[in-house]
Amino acid sequence: MQGKRVLIGISGGIAAYKVCEVISTLAKQGVETRAILTNSAQAFITPLTIATLCRHAAYTDESFWQTTHDRPLHIELGEWADLFVLAPLTANTLAKLVYGMADNLLTNTVLASTCPVLLAPAMNTDMWEQPPVQRNWQSAQAEPRMHTLAPGSGILACDRVGSGRMAEPTAILSHVESLLYTKGQRDLVGKHVLISAGGTREFLDPVRFIGNPSTGKMGIALAQAALHRGATVKLVHGALESALDAQIATLPEIQAFSVTSADAMQQALLHCFPEADWTIMAAAVADVRPASYSQEKLPKRSLPSALPLETVPDIVAALAALKQPHQKLIGFAAQSGDIVTPALEKLQRKKLDAIAANPIDQPNSGFGSDSNQAVLIDHRGRQHIVEPCSKLHMAHQLLDFMQTLT
């Protein structure tokens, strides 16, 4: 995201403190960041704080009426931004957006801009649930350049427990990265995308299992990328990093199915597969499992010196056998050393439309990493190299690659 330009609009609400993390993270990633504070926002957070994090002066209504600019400030800022993020978005500012009102620097700049706009509301539960606010929210969602992050639920600053919490900084940052990549295009509207993620666990007894170090980060990134581009997303996931479990809970638009074993994952995927246009198998599924299972924890002295194993059914092969002409099935091949040769063999043997071969023996790549790299290969032998990047950025490149499949 180096060199991209993000404009942050801050309205008056206690959630304004969360925006500090968003601005700080963007600045550290090399994103040029500017911010506008409404008069009410300054009651919660100071322009000096925001300016320090942006590495640039913060703008207020006082700036709006100054004559030190060569051109009107709202015009300059509107043309400058690649993306406009409004967080927190109050009921007042939401209503102004819907009705095209422009009585301060923030709302004037929205009207003077043409870039995508990301809305992250925050307010008391009773305020959020008022019919006029909900009508305005629905109207904002219908605007092509408006992208939305609905508030979550929890304990609010007013001690009320309910909906109205602004989306967490991690969710805002993910959406920002997607919008900077896609420039706001919703090119997967109408697509049903099915994704598997995380690792499966094959238990020997209630406390011991055969597993792998998959955290589910790549699969979650794929689900987010597809959702941000307008797809209907279903996610079947095994064991995930705890933070990702919490993250899924904040994405009600994604229909998620939590499973443990390979058998359970296969059943869930077979259930969802008929509706899927694209299926992306990013999960790390076990290859073998203990041949028997003990209902009670085995004493250490009873553990076998050699553990009998049996193979796990091949989920990808089962889906490939059911695949219809309009469906696309994509696999992953996590490899060390030569990643392309075994990926090609897997692609052909399992009759996939494409495969992502990614190394697990390279720095900042593979299991547990926030970044990844890969060679994308389709059934005709075309290859696309994904240089090291964030897993969300790689997810978007994979979705782009899938759109070229024939």
Side-chain angles (χ1 to χ4, degrees):
M1 298 196 291
Q2 187 82 25
K4 297 292 186 180
R5 297 174 297 198
V6 175
L7 182 60
I8 309 288
I10 307 171
S11 301
I14 188 61
Y17 79 91
K18 290 184 176 180
V19 181
C20 292
E21 182 178 343
V22 173
I23 295 172
S24 177
T25 303
L26 290 174
K28 290 173 183 175
Q29 293 175 340
V31 176
E32 293 184 52
T33 310
R34 305 284 183 269
I36 301 171
L37 290 85
T38 65
N39 285 335
S40 58
Q42 295 173 67
F44 294 92
I45 194 165
T46 68
L48 177 59
T49 298
I50 298 300
T52 303
L53 295 172
C54 285
R55 285 73 164 172
H56 190 278
Y59 298 104
T60 66
D61 281 355
E62 185 178 344
S63 314
F64 191 19
W65 303 115
Q66 291 176 354
T67 58
T68 56
H69 304 282
D70 294 334
R71 303 173 65 220
L73 179 58
H74 62 295
I75 304 296
E76 284 190 354
L77 289 173
E79 293 177 351
W80 174 86
D82 294 318
L83 174 65
F84 204 160
V85 180
L86 273 60
L89 174 69
T90 60
N92 184 46
T93 301
L94 172 62
K96 291 178 182 180
L97 295 180
V98 169
Y99 289 99
M101 297 174 64
D103 63 349
N104 59 16
L105 176 58
L106 177 58
T107 50
N108 270 275
T109 306
V110 172
L111 292 185
S113 65
T114 58
C115 63
V117 180
L118 178 61
L119 307 178
M123 63 195 77
N124 165 269
T125 303
D126 291 327
M127 296 173 67
W128 172 249
E129 293 178 351
Q130 288 292 333
V133 174
Q134 287 301 303
R135 285 197 296 270
N136 288 341
W137 181 239
Q138 295 299 322
S139 296
Q141 289 179 304
E143 290 293 325
R145 77 184 185 108
M146 298 290 176
H147 300 259
T148 57
L149 270 172
S153 297
I155 185 167
L156 308 181
C158 59
D159 292 327
R160 175 70 185 273
V161 177
S163 57
R165 285 175 59 90
M166 190 178 81
E168 295 303 314
T170 52
I172 295 173
L173 288 163
S174 293
H175 217 127
V176 165
E177 184 175 352
S178 285
L179 289 171
L180 290 175
Y181 183 93
T182 65
K183 299 180 180 178
Q185 292 185 49
R186 294 184 176 91
D187 54 350
L188 297 187
V189 169
K191 290 283 187 189
H192 286 72
V193 180
L194 174 61
I195 297 164
S196 70
T200 60
R201 295 178 174 180
E202 306 300 329
F203 280 81
L204 170 65
D205 63 18
V207 298
R208 301 181 180 94
F209 62 85
I210 296 174
N212 58 66
S214 173
T215 59
K217 288 182 179 179
M218 190 68 240
I220 300 301
L222 284 160
Q224 289 176 317
L227 178 67
H228 295 162
R229 293 168 76 151
T232 299
V233 181
K234 290 184 179 179
L235 175 70
V236 177
H237 67 85
L240 299 177
E241 191 176 81
S242 58
L244 294 179
D245 265 326
Q247 195 170 339
I248 291 174
T250 67
L251 297 170
E253 304 92 341
I254 294 177
Q255 188 175 357
F257 303 84
S258 177
V259 300
T260 300
S261 67
D263 276 347
M265 180 169 282
Q266 178 167 319
Q267 291 173 19
L269 287 167
L270 288 173
H271 173 74
C272 299
F273 186 68
E275 293 183 353
D277 298 302
W278 295 352
T279 298
I280 308 173
M281 295 294 295
V285 182
D287 295 308
V288 295
R289 63 190 172 201
S292 61
Y293 173 75
S294 172
Q295 296 290 341
E296 297 182 352
K297 180 185 175 182
L298 294 169
K300 187 175 182 179
R301 64 180 179 275
S302 300
L303 291 175
S305 57
L307 182 63
L309 301 174
E310 62 184 19
T311 57
V312 171
D314 190 329
I315 300 176
V316 174
L319 296 177
L322 298 172
K323 188 167 70 74
Q324 300 300 307
H326 72 281
Q327 294 179 304
K328 304 298 180 187
L329 180 60
I330 290 79
F332 265 72
Q335 302 287 345
S336 58
D338 174 15
I339 64 172
V340 172
T341 302
L344 280 168
E345 188 276 329
K346 183 176 181 179
L347 169 73
Q348 296 163 0
R349 174 169 49 86
K350 298 197 176 186
K351 299 179 181 178
L352 300 172
D353 294 287
I355 196 165
N358 64 299
I360 58 173
D361 56 356
Q362 297 297 317
N364 302 315
S365 181
F367 294 129
S369 174
D370 291 326
S371 57
N372 212 347
Q373 57 185 297
V375 179
L376 309 181
I377 312 168
D378 73 4
H379 64 97
R380 293 183 295 164
R382 290 187 311 137
Q383 296 187 12
H384 171 73
I385 296 175
V386 178
E387 300 291 349
C389 61
S390 73
K391 287 188 172 177
L392 184 60
H393 192 88
M394 176 171 153
H396 280 293
Q397 292 190 62
L398 177 56
L399 294 176
D400 288 344
F401 190 71
M402 290 181 66
Q403 295 199 81
T404 69
L405 298 177
T406 57

